Amino acid sequence: MLIRSLTLAALALLATSAQAQDYAVTGRVVDAETDAPVTLASVALWRVSAREGVEPYLETGAVSDDAGRFRIAGVGRGRYYAVVSFIGYASARVDSLRLSPQSPVLDLGVIRLAPDAAALEAVEVMAERDRV
């Protein structure tokens, strides 16, 4: 009976420990000029190593919903930066993100994407056709 109680206590402790390591990053993406939500914007979460000489690497990402909101869950504690992008807009970068037991959910707030004028310029296509 004692072994069974100890086993159940150990399993409960492991389950609690596993849940404590489930961190998340949230936010909302809007157009900088109109404040309209940007649907399907890509949000990439890059992990930054504490060791010298180790390049950041893409940890995971998400896509914003119809209201421009996103949630990236299931990431571990550590240091990150986020890159938010969408076609026709200049990318935005949010630096110095730190997930820890004291802040397991980081809300990035409202991220405003500015229209990219170069991406919005008109293109004229011209062609010549042989006479028959």
Side-chain angles (χ1 to χ4, degrees):
M1 186 66 154
L2 179 63
I3 293 175
R4 185 175 186 187
S5 296
L6 288 174
T7 303
L8 289 174
L11 287 175
L13 183 61
L14 285 174
T16 303
S17 175
Q19 287 177 347
Q21 295 177 5
D22 190 24
Y23 300 97
V25 177
T26 63
R28 186 165 179 255
V29 184
V30 299
D31 182 295
E33 293 179 355
T34 65
D35 281 336
V38 178
T39 304
L40 301 177
S42 297
V43 184
L45 192 62
W46 292 80
R47 182 179 281 274
V48 178
S49 176
R51 293 181 299 180
E52 255 335 283
V54 177
E55 293 291 319
Y57 61 90
L58 180 61
E59 176 81 14
T60 187
V63 175
S64 61
D65 65 12
D66 291 341
R69 291 184 303 258
F70 65 88
R71 179 177 179 84
I72 303 172
V75 296
R77 64 190 258 181
R79 298 181 327 160
Y80 298 89
Y81 68 86
V83 177
V84 182
S85 58
F86 189 70
I87 297 172
Y89 291 89
S91 296
R93 180 172 164 157
V94 182
D95 287 308
S96 303
L97 305 178
R98 184 176 214 94
L99 292 168
S100 67
Q102 293 78 24
S103 58
V105 177
L106 266 180
D107 184 5
L108 304 183
V110 176
I111 300 167
R112 299 181 185 289
L113 293 183
D116 187 357
L120 299 177
E121 289 180 12
V123 176
E124 185 177 338
V125 179
M126 299 181 67
E128 291 186 20
R129 185 173 99 173
D130 291 335
R131 292 188 179 245
V132 180

